[in-house]
Amino acid sequence: MIIISWNCRGLSNLSAVSNLRHIDQKHRPDVIFLSETLATARRLEALRVSLKFDSCLAIDVEGRSGGLAVLWQNKIKCSVFNYSRNFINLEIEDEVRGNWRLTCYYGFPERNRRHLAWDMLRALRDMSSDPWCIIGDFNDLMSQEDKRGLHPHPNSLCNGFCSAVEDCGLSDINIKGHRFTWARSRGTPNMVEEQLDRAMANLSWLGRFPNVELLNILASHLDHTPILLNCDLASSNKRTYSFKFENQWLLEEDIKETISIGWNTSSNAELGDKLNSCAGELKRWSRGKRTRFKEDVKACEDAIEG
């Protein structure tokens, strides 16, 4: 099971939607959690249809801030336990490992309300005795190592957050890739980076998912990067696809020759048979191009990340 969590900072921005589509196509998540959507439930329903997810729960934006949404595929047997403007609790029915709880969380960004966020975590702990995983933008740091640049984070806030996490029996899941998930003033001497987004779980959940992995993934949009939680690396998340012609193939010099070979395989074939023959020839031809295409895309992503 793959879960994406992202503080998208508003879905009215076309860049955010474009990045979200790219993330979905690349990683094929089962669940997507979005915070600070700044969007209505109607807007999120249109997004669900566009991304071809089966279900969606959206909490409307309030004023000029906030808004949460969870999109999921019905194959994971997910149901909504309860929700507020800061969290969505989901009950996951797992026939192999047993039922467990997923909390999609958004902490108060204001420092003078952090104590309310810590109390909310403790309240979430008491809502269910099932194995528990929580993911999202906590707007909190556990230590000075979670921040780079300018002034240190107040130790009192680090201690308060760590105390709440300890009271809840949660363990932080180490993030792979670039450690920091939020940045301000990029490319300047005043740049600040922090790890605001994370995933945590209690011991009973970690015992059921010993191969869990948390990744910081690339998204060229605003200040937050998405995080990806792969609950079980041993399981695959593959989808089957019908044949689709890729527009980028038209830029290849040998595309016309490949189509000609497929079309002229049999001179007496019906139109449908000729099209199928062309599709088969293009599939075989594209396998040799696929590695180069992936290398080109990877080089572009590395340049963007750099």
Side-chain angles (χ1 to χ4, degrees):
M1 180 175 175
I2 293 178
I3 303 163
I4 297 284
S5 173
W6 189 23
N7 181 331
C8 59
R9 299 302 297 272
L11 290 172
S12 60
N13 190 312
L14 293 179
S15 175
V17 177
S18 176
N19 271 281
L20 190 57
R21 287 201 178 98
H22 172 72
I23 291 167
D24 176 56
Q25 291 170 3
K26 182 175 181 179
H27 299 286
R28 299 301 180 187
D30 302 292
V31 177
I32 296 178
F33 169 53
L34 301 172
S35 57
E36 287 201 66
T37 62
L38 308 182
T40 63
R42 183 176 180 179
R43 174 75 178 87
L44 267 301
E45 175 61 16
L47 181 65
R48 178 197 69 78
V49 173
S50 174
L51 295 177
K52 298 181 180 179
F53 274 71
D54 297 317
S55 301
C56 173
L57 171 66
I59 299 171
D60 280 355
V61 60
E62 189 176 57
R64 297 184 178 181
S65 63
L68 304 179
V70 176
L71 298 81
W72 68 91
Q73 303 292 359
N74 286 346
K75 66 179 182 180
I76 65 170
K77 297 182 180 179
C78 169
S79 59
V80 178
F81 182 67
N82 61 359
Y83 59 88
S84 74
R85 294 198 175 274
N86 291 89
F87 68 84
I88 299 174
N89 263 327
L90 302 174
E91 188 74 23
I92 309 296
E93 295 182 32
D94 192 323
E95 296 179 356
V96 177
R97 295 176 176 84
N99 293 4
W100 54 278
R101 177 169 53 130
L102 173 66
T103 299
C104 301
Y105 180 81
Y106 175 66
F108 295 111
E110 304 89 356
R111 286 189 175 181
N112 62 353
R113 302 180 74 191
R114 297 288 168 81
H115 66 286
L116 298 177
W118 305 334
D119 290 341
M120 182 166 55
L121 284 174
R122 295 182 178 101
L124 284 165
R125 170 200 62 192
D126 298 332
M127 289 180 183
S128 172
S129 59
D130 286 345
W132 183 29
C133 178
I134 180 170
I135 188 171
D137 177 6
F138 285 75
N139 277 311
D140 250 318
L141 306 182
M142 299 189 73
S143 71
Q144 297 300 334
E145 294 179 353
D146 288 347
K147 180 175 181 177
R148 181 167 65 185
L150 292 180
H151 309 293
H153 195 68
N155 284 323
S156 59
L157 295 182
C158 292
N159 293 335
F161 182 42
C162 287
S163 178
V165 170
E166 184 177 350
D167 290 345
C168 292
L170 294 169
S171 297
D172 195 39
I173 299 173
N174 291 331
I175 193 166
K176 294 186 178 182
H178 189 61
R179 173 169 186 168
F180 305 104
T181 63
W182 174 87
R184 183 181 63 198
S185 303
R186 282 193 179 98
T188 73
N190 297 322
M191 185 175 75
V192 177
E193 293 182 289
E194 296 179 344
Q195 186 187 349
L196 300 180
D197 306 85
R198 61 179 76 242
M200 296 186 283
N202 60 16
L203 290 179
S204 59
W205 190 91
L206 292 171
R208 295 188 182 187
F209 297 93
N211 298 317
V212 64
E213 181 180 67
L214 181 65
L215 302 175
N216 186 354
I217 58 179
L218 176 68
S220 55
H221 172 71
L222 293 179
D223 50 7
H224 275 269
T225 56
I227 56 175
L228 181 152
L229 186 70
N230 191 340
C231 296
D232 192 352
L233 291 175
S235 64
S236 63
N237 197 36
K238 296 180 180 179
R239 296 183 183 180
T240 57
Y241 299 92
S242 58
F243 172 78
K244 293 182 177 64
F245 186 90
E246 300 286 349
N247 286 337
Q248 65 183 6
W249 293 347
L250 295 172
L251 301 177
E252 299 299 305
E253 293 181 357
D254 53 345
I255 181 68
K256 291 184 178 180
E257 180 183 354
T258 303
I259 292 176
S260 178
I261 292 172
W263 187 264
N264 296 318
T265 299
S266 176
S267 58
N268 298 322
E270 297 291 332
L271 177 60
D273 294 331
K274 283 181 173 288
L275 290 173
N276 288 332
S277 177
C278 282
E281 192 65 32
L282 284 168
K283 281 183 179 180
R284 287 188 290 272
W285 169 83
S286 66
R287 291 191 191 104
K289 306 285 184 179
R290 195 172 300 156
T291 300
R292 201 202 79 218
F293 290 156
K294 287 182 178 179
E295 290 174 351
D296 290 346
V297 171
K298 182 64 167 59
C300 291
E301 289 181 341
D302 290 344
I304 292 171
E305 189 169 14

